[in-house]
């Protein structure tokens, strides 16, 4: 099980590079990875994160309030289709300068009346309970509260990732996992200059992966297990003779190793079905469906990746 963690990471990253290079399928001989949907080793390389970086953070006005507003508006719903629905219905991408609760709420309410989803199913976003009739209305009020305070400036002035996280955690209904995810999203922007290796919050999938791989963690907390994995990553790939191709010079950070635990939790439902984990789940629900459009991978400029892989402000 421990070796499977590293083998999965190396093979999933190999698939990423083959797709990024435009190679034709099949991209892997691993039947489980070839059949089922798994997120990338690097969180920032996944479809929604890529859209956030390219089309939300780096598209539109670059003033602090506007960038923070766009990130929060996009991530609360975490669904590309919802962002595009708002953009089409409002006649322009969402802006804090032009924000109007009634207009935004009307667009989302009408979408739900048509039976459309406005939230991603990736994780549950609790209802903050601001007194609105629908959950999305309460989330619009939550964003209003954040923006009307000095929160954007506090993000920009933060000394580190934990400070950004604690500011988010103080918002109504945001628990530790969501606050950490949003802190990482803000860290993708040029406005919030903090690193991703300061600390990590382990999500439910990560906890399941840890429980499958380690019968005993020697007293280490889940976040400490992820940090230990990061510390030994180079030597483990070397031990197994695996050629792990990083992200054009960027080694995975704690959020990425946390993600690998989540995906290995799924992968081992097929590769090691006798190992139940704490979740007890036994099958992988989502199958891989190939998209025909090429993927133009772009990442934050501050990562200093090659120019062809760096987001450009539009």
């Amino acid at each position: 099980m421990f070796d499977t963690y590293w083998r999965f990471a190396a093979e999933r990253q190999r698939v990423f590079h083959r797709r990024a290079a435009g190679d034709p399928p099949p991209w892997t001989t691993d039947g489980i990875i070839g059949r089922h949907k798994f997120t990338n080793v690097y969180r920032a390389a996944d479809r929604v994160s890529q859209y956030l970086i390219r089309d939300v953070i780096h598209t539109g006005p670059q003033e602090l309030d506007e960038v923070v507003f766009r990130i929060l508006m996009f991530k609360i719903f975490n669904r590309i289709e919802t962002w595009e629905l708002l953009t089409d219905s409002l006649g322009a991408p969402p802006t804090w300068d032009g924000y109007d609760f009634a207009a935004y709420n009307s667009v989302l309410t009408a979408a739900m009346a048509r039976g459309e989803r406005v939230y991603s199913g990736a994780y549950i976003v609790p209802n903050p309970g601001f007194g609105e009739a629908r959950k999305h209305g309460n989330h619009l009020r939550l964003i209003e509260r954040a923006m009307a305070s000095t929160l954007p400036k506090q993000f920009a002035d933060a000394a580190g990732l934990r400070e950004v996280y604690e500011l988010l955690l103080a918002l109504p209904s945001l628990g530790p996992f969501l606050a950490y995810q949003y802190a990482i999203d803000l860290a993708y922007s040029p406005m919030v200059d903090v690193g991703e290796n300061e600390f990590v919050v382990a999500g439910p999938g990560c906890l399941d992966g840890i429980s499958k791989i380690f019968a005993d963690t020697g007293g280490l907390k889940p976040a400490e297990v992820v940090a230990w994995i990061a510390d030994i990553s180079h030597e483990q790939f070397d031990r197994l003779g695996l050629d792990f191709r990083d992200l054009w010079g960027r080694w995975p950070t704690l959020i990425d190793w946390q993600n690998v635990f989540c995906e290995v939790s799924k992968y081992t439902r097929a590769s090691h079905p006798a190992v139940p984990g704490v979740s007890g789940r036994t099958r992988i629900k989502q199958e891989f469906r190939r998209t025909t459009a090429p993927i133009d991978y772009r990442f934050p400029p501050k990562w200093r990746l090659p120019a062809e892989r760096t987001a450009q402000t539009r």
Side-chain angles (χ1 to χ4, degrees):
M1 289 290 291
F2 182 68
D3 289 353
T4 296
Y5 179 94
W6 306 105
R7 296 187 189 281
F8 171 86
E11 184 62 20
R12 183 62 187 85
Q13 186 63 3
R14 187 176 296 116
V15 170
F16 164 79
H17 275 291
R18 286 173 175 168
R19 294 189 70 189
D23 293 350
W27 299 294
T28 180
T29 57
D30 185 307
I32 301 173
I33 293 177
R35 177 181 176 184
H36 297 284
K37 180 181 178 180
F38 294 96
T39 63
N40 284 288
V41 171
Y42 290 83
R43 177 185 185 271
D46 287 330
R47 185 176 73 99
V48 174
S49 292
Q50 280 290 295
Y51 191 91
L52 170 70
I53 293 166
R54 289 191 321 260
D55 300 297
V56 177
I57 294 175
H58 289 281
T59 298
Q62 292 299 297
E63 292 82 6
L64 173 61
D65 279 2
E66 293 294 344
V67 174
V68 171
F69 173 77
R70 292 201 301 271
I71 293 172
L72 293 178
M73 182 63 68
F74 179 78
K75 287 302 297 183
I76 284 289
F77 301 101
N78 202 39
R79 185 171 167 81
I80 294 171
E81 292 80 3
T82 299
W83 181 263
E84 293 180 342
L85 170 68
L86 285 168
T87 298
D88 292 343
S89 301
L90 299 169
T95 63
W96 176 236
D97 182 59
Y99 172 78
D100 177 74
F101 173 84
Y104 282 58
N105 189 51
S106 175
V107 170
L108 297 173
T109 299
M112 294 195 70
R114 296 192 297 269
E116 298 174 12
R117 290 169 52 199
V118 297
Y119 289 92
S120 162
Y123 39 69
I124 297 172
V125 186
N127 191 339
F130 279 94
E132 296 295 333
R134 304 299 293 266
K135 179 178 173 179
H136 61 262
N138 286 318
H139 278 132
L140 292 176
R141 294 299 189 195
L142 176 65
I143 295 170
E144 284 180 14
R145 171 179 287 194
M147 293 303 303
S149 69
T150 60
L151 205 55
K153 187 175 187 308
Q154 291 180 73
F155 289 148
D157 293 342
L161 182 66
R162 186 173 293 277
E163 188 174 338
V164 175
Y165 162 77
E166 289 173 352
L167 289 166
L168 288 161
L169 194 59
L171 291 173
S173 82
L174 286 193
F177 182 67
L178 273 182
Y180 181 71
Q181 296 292 316
Y182 293 175
I184 293 293
D185 293 316
L186 286 162
Y188 291 156
S189 79
M191 308 301 173
V192 183
D193 190 18
V194 297
E196 293 180 22
N197 271 325
E198 185 178 337
F199 77 107
V200 67
V201 173
C206 177
L207 298 178
D208 190 60
I210 289 173
S211 75
K212 287 185 173 187
I213 293 171
F214 298 101
D216 182 358
T217 62
L220 294 180
K221 297 176 181 178
E224 294 170 326
V225 172
V226 177
W228 177 71
I229 285 288
D231 287 344
I232 66 170
S233 54
H234 286 280
E235 64 188 70
Q236 293 306 311
F237 287 127
D238 289 344
R239 177 180 65 85
L240 294 168
L242 298 171
D243 178 22
F244 181 82
R245 296 181 59 194
D246 62 22
L247 192 71
W248 296 290
R250 181 179 173 88
W251 198 251
T253 61
L254 294 177
I255 186 69
D256 304 317
W257 296 121
Q258 193 269 165
N259 269 15
V260 175
F261 271 115
C262 297
E263 298 312 292
V264 168
S265 164
K266 292 192 299 187
Y267 180 86
T268 51
R269 294 174 201 169
S271 68
H272 295 75
V275 182
V278 293
S279 75
R281 294 179 179 177
T282 58
R283 67 186 185 91
I284 308 171
K285 293 182 179 180
Q286 289 185 299
E287 295 201 351
F288 172 71
R289 289 181 175 82
R290 181 190 169 203
T291 57
T292 55
I295 303 173
D296 179 26
Y297 289 105
R298 298 285 174 157
F299 299 93
K302 59 186 170 183
W303 288 8
R304 300 185 183 280
L305 301 189
E308 65 272 16
R309 297 303 177 191
T310 298
Q312 305 295 318
T313 301
R314 292 180 288 176

